[in-house]
């Protein structure tokens, strides 16, 4: 698929590497991030505590983490697109606990404009 600039790759690319094989970085647009802070549901936490005593996946917690990661990725990509980027390189996730009831989840990387080599 191509756009007005002649770009023939994916509409938006996010990679954890510092470069994209087969492409050159034409412009570095700076660091971008997406952030969310989630509070924990007390009943969910209690259920997870019981489940963890007996083993097995904590499906509610897994679902919440997937939704949170998708949310922060979307926010990060939106910020990069607003700056005119068509890719993000060196993308990472970071999480931290804030007190006993809040979790911060952050996706960050470097917004760039890339184009195919050759």
């Amino acid at each position: 698929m191509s756009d007005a600039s002649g770009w023939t790759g994916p509409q938006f690319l996010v990679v954890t590497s510092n470069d994209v094989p087969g492409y050159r970085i034409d412009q570095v647009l700076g660091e971008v991030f997406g952030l969310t802070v989630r509070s924990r549901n007390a009943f969910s936490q209690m259920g997870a505590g019981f489940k963890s005593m007996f083993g097995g996946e904590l499906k509610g917690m897994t679902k919440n983490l997937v939704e949170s990661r998708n949310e922060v990725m979307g926010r990060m990509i939106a910020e990069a697109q607003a700056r005119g980027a068509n890719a993000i390189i060196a993308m990472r996730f970071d999480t931290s606990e804030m007190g006993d009831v809040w979790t911060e989840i952050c996706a960050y990387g470097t917004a760039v404009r890339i184009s195919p080599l050759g």
Side-chain angles (χ1 to χ4, degrees):
M1 180 174 274
S2 70
D3 63 18
S5 69
W7 169 251
T8 57
Q11 288 301 304
F12 203 90
L13 184 65
V14 178
V15 297
T16 58
S17 59
N18 292 328
D19 58 7
V20 181
Y23 295 86
R24 72 175 166 266
I25 296 174
D26 298 317
Q27 187 177 12
V28 175
L29 301 166
E31 181 185 19
V32 290
F33 67 93
L35 178 69
T36 188
V37 177
R38 298 286 177 121
S39 64
R40 297 188 192 138
N41 177 313
F43 295 110
S44 170
Q45 281 295 106
M46 210 174 352
F50 288 129
K51 180 81 172 188
S52 66
M53 289 189 317
F54 301 106
E57 181 180 7
L58 306 174
K59 293 183 183 191
M61 302 292 265
T62 300
K63 180 181 178 218
N64 190 17
L65 182 58
V66 169
E67 289 171 356
S68 297
R69 284 189 172 207
N70 288 339
E71 185 176 323
V72 298
M73 286 288 293
R75 290 176 179 175
M76 178 186 63
I77 290 168
E79 183 181 343
Q81 288 174 325
R83 291 188 190 189
N86 64 355
I88 295 173
I89 59 171
M91 192 284 296
R92 302 287 186 267
F93 282 109
D94 188 29
T95 62
S96 60
E97 299 295 319
M98 300 170 68
D100 289 336
V101 294
W102 298 327
T103 301
E104 172 198 32
I105 301 171
C106 182
Y108 62 94
T110 303
V112 295
R113 292 268 329 147
I114 61 174
S115 59
L117 289 174

